[in-house]
Each structure stands twice: as C-alpha cells, then as structure tokens.
Amino acid sequence: MSVGLVVVSHSAKIAEGIVELAGQMAPGVRIRAAGGTDDGGLGTSFDLVMSAVVDADDGDGVVVMCDLGSAILTAETALDFLDDELRARVRIADAPIVEGAVAAAVAAEVGGALAEVVDAAEASAAASAMTSDQNSPEEAVESTSSDRRGSDLSSTTLPPSSERPEEPIGANATLINPSGLHARPAAEFVRLASTFDARITVNGVDAKSLLRIMGMGLGIGSSVRVEATGTQAQEAVDALTTLLASGFGE
C-alpha cells in the first residue's frame, strides 16, 4: 500500500495530464484526476472529488492537490462529507499543482507516510525556486565570498581531524540514455537514492530531490559526479553509478 494522490483542477485535461506525468514517476501509486465539472466543462465538481478521493485511498491516506482557490473550496467541502475514518487520513497540500504532484508521487512511491508525502509536495515550491535561482546575482556574491573565505584558510587554525566534516565518497559517470536525468529516469534515480542511509549529491545537488535533479537539465553525454557521506555512502555511490551506466534501460 502507499499514500494516494488526487489532482483537482478546473480543467479535466489539465488534471489528466498531471496524473499521466506523475504516474510515469510513480507507477505504483494510486493517482486520480478530478478535473472539470460533471458535464466536462471548466470548473470543479464535488462528486468527482469525492469519488477520486475514495478511489485513491489504499488505506495509507490521500494527498489532494488543487490548482485554484475555488478548487480548494470544493475539495474542502467534499472532505466534510467523507466518513470520519477516511477524512482523518486525507490532506490538502499547499503546493503548486504540477511540481507538488510530481514530488508527492515520488515520495509516496518510495514508501513515505502521509505527513512525509505532504511535506514533499509543499517543499516543491521552495525547491523549484532554488533551482531557478541557481545563477542569481546573490548566489554569485555568496560564491565569491566563499572563494574568498577559502583563500584565507592558510591563516586559519583547522579543527582536530576528529572534528572535521566526513570526507565524501564519490565516483563519476556519464549519462548515456537519450533522455538523461529527466522524467522517468530522474524519478528512478531519486527512488533508488532514497533507499540509502546516506547524504547523497549529484553535481552538488540533493540526489533525493526530484525537482532539483530535473532542474539541472542533464542530458545525454553529461558528466555526473555522485558523492555521499553516511552509513551507506559506498553502497549508495556504487548502486547509483551502476544505474547511470545502465542507461536506465532506454
């Protein structure tokens, strides 16, 4: 079982498209669309939302994603009419509908509990903003400051070796699959990374964040540096570089 997802949109086509996209990332998760009105027009439907939530529930709860304010109102009304047991395990996430649905789907796919799936959805907005700001002037200033601090290390007393940060284990790989680290391959990579007790990065980006991985835009031929620290660092690096070298079966 896993947490289910419901996508509520004023457009049936938008809801269905998001479900299709998120479903590619998380084929084992129940993701249901509740888009448009009962007659297929633009708007939202109390009955469609109710039906989608009941169908998405697999016993572990349901996270609902909404596009506009009135969709949230419809979802909240529908939840009021659920039986107490089901209503207790349904949450409406405050997140962008596309990014949130994708992030939530991956979190549910790797076995995240209801609260963790909600957190993944709601963190997607911040992750998306961080990705878009990677080359911002502010970051450039911070990078320059970091370089300056680094140049002053020779005059700084370093802490004892026992107190220094753990040295990461790392390995390089080259993407050989046509789609690189996008869509399904990115989700497969994140799912695998999430199984290890380790802090893992890909070219300096959190390997367990789907949006950060996809935001790098790494395509075929791109060089990838996988680094990890923690209990399962070596296992993580070995498994992830093997997956990259496999081409994801493409």
Side-chain angles (χ1 to χ4, degrees), residues 41-65:
L42 292 177
T44 55
S45 163
F46 168 91
D47 290 333
L48 288 178
V49 174
M50 279 273 291
S51 177
V53 169
V54 172
D55 196 32
D57 181 49
D58 199 20
D60 286 341
V62 177
V63 176
V64 181
M65 311 295 307

Side-chain angles (χ1 to χ4, degrees), residues 79-91:
L79 265 56
D80 286 340
F81 283 82
L82 296 173
D83 64 73
D84 292 343
E85 183 180 351
L86 177 53
R87 184 169 62 247
R89 58 177 185 268
V90 179
R91 301 287 186 275

Side-chain angles (χ1 to χ4, degrees), residues 7-18 33-37 40-44 67-68 71 97:
V7 178
V8 182
S9 172
H10 283 65
S11 165
K13 291 183 178 179
I14 288 176
E16 291 163 2
I18 294 172
T37 60
L42 292 177
T44 55
D67 60 357
L68 300 173
I97 192 168

Side-chain angles (χ1 to χ4, degrees), residues 46 49 66 69-81 87 92:
F46 168 91
V49 174
C66 303
S70 57
I72 298 174
L73 292 176
T74 301
E76 289 176 339
T77 303
L79 265 56
D80 286 340
F81 283 82
R87 184 169 62 247
I92 299 175

Side-chain angles (χ1 to χ4, degrees), residues 149-228:
R149 286 193 297 270
S151 65
D152 293 337
L153 286 177
S154 59
S155 60
T156 303
T157 302
L158 294 175
S161 59
S162 60
E163 298 178 11
R164 295 174 192 170
E166 179 183 353
E167 285 294 322
I169 294 170
N172 298 318
T174 300
L175 293 175
I176 62 172
N177 59 304
S179 60
L181 276 179
H182 297 277
R184 183 193 62 79
E188 187 175 347
F189 186 89
V190 170
R191 282 198 297 271
L192 180 58
S194 298
T195 65
F196 294 101
D197 180 15
R199 182 183 183 279
I200 312 165
T201 61
V202 177
N203 292 1
V205 167
D206 182 4
K208 299 179 183 181
S209 170
L210 179 63
L211 294 178
R212 299 298 302 278
I213 293 294
M214 293 180 65
M216 289 192 294
L218 297 176
I220 186 171
S222 296
S223 296
V224 176
R225 175 70 177 177
V226 179
E227 293 188 340

